[in-house]
Amino acid sequence: MEFLNLQIEERTKIFINNALLTNRGFNYYVDWTNVNGYNEFMVEIHAMDILIGCKDDNDFKDKFITLISKLPHVVLLFPFLFGLAKDEREKLYRNKTQLTIIQDELNCADHLIYSFSKNTKYLDDNEIEIFYNFFVRMGLKNLYQNVIEKSTLDYIIL
């Protein structure tokens, strides 16, 4: 508890002084040979390409809503995109657990709860809005909206 009462500069200094040097090597980062769970979602992955490069927020949201309405299983990609551990993803998919996000304080009742069950067949407008807000707040919107400039995309197509 003492750590939390320190000034931000002091906490930063303690953190940096205790960081391991081993998290700087190539072996610390993702071993892409172990990343294979996405194979069952190839259709959904490519369907999400419709979001790439949308600069207008309204256009992005409209395309997101259309995409999720037609392919509700696209939401199963979200745990992959923000790097949730494989064990946790499997529990979510089997509906054994739900993803709980703490908003402001650890011991408050302001948690948001999301379900990523593979049994999802249909999402209503409210559920789509909840997933859109999740997508935005997790930073996934920035991943798609800013990844490729429209001019670059047009150049690639030509």
Side-chain angles (χ1 to χ4, degrees):
M1 200 61 177
E2 290 179 35
F3 180 77
L4 297 176
N5 294 328
L6 295 173
Q7 296 295 320
I8 188 72
E9 295 83 16
E10 293 170 312
R11 286 187 281 175
T12 303
K13 185 177 179 181
I14 290 170
F15 175 78
I16 291 171
N17 288 339
N18 288 294
L20 298 174
L21 292 177
T22 56
N23 68 356
R24 303 267 187 228
F26 287 114
N27 60 350
Y28 174 78
Y29 299 99
V30 176
D31 180 358
W32 291 103
T33 60
N34 290 330
V35 180
N36 57 13
Y38 66 90
N39 291 332
E40 65 184 281
F41 298 113
M42 292 306 286
V43 170
E44 291 85 352
I45 289 170
H46 291 292
M48 287 190 71
D49 288 351
I50 194 168
L51 302 175
I52 293 176
C54 290
K55 290 298 177 191
D56 178 74
D57 287 338
N58 291 328
D59 183 42
F60 187 93
K61 186 172 183 177
D62 290 343
K63 287 181 180 177
F64 182 92
I65 290 170
T66 301
L67 174 64
I68 300 302
S69 298
K70 291 183 177 184
L71 285 170
H73 276 130
V74 166
V75 300
L76 298 176
L77 288 176
F78 297 179
F80 275 105
L81 295 175
F82 67 82
L84 191 64
K86 180 180 179 182
D87 294 346
E88 293 300 315
R89 283 194 317 264
E90 291 304 319
K91 288 177 188 174
L92 287 174
Y93 293 159
R94 288 186 304 230
N95 211 19
K96 295 196 183 268
T97 187
Q98 294 178 318
L99 182 66
T100 302
I101 304 290
I102 300 167
Q103 291 193 84
D104 295 318
E105 295 183 28
L106 189 58
N107 295 324
C108 288
D110 66 346
H111 297 41
L112 298 174
I113 298 177
Y114 300 92
S115 176
F116 292 92
S117 172
K118 284 188 176 180
N119 297 329
T120 302
K121 302 281 185 224
Y122 169 79
L123 297 174
D124 64 31
D125 292 343
N126 183 52
E127 291 169 313
I128 292 171
E129 187 68 27
I130 288 169
F131 276 114
Y132 178 76
N133 289 330
F134 176 87
F135 198 78
V136 170
R137 293 183 77 184
M138 284 299 269
L140 298 173
K141 179 179 180 237
N142 292 330
L143 176 68
Y144 278 85
Q145 193 172 30
N146 299 321
V147 72
I148 297 178
E149 295 293 325
K150 279 282 192 192
S151 59
T152 306
L153 188 60
D154 291 341
Y155 178 75
I156 293 170
I157 293 172
L158 295 176

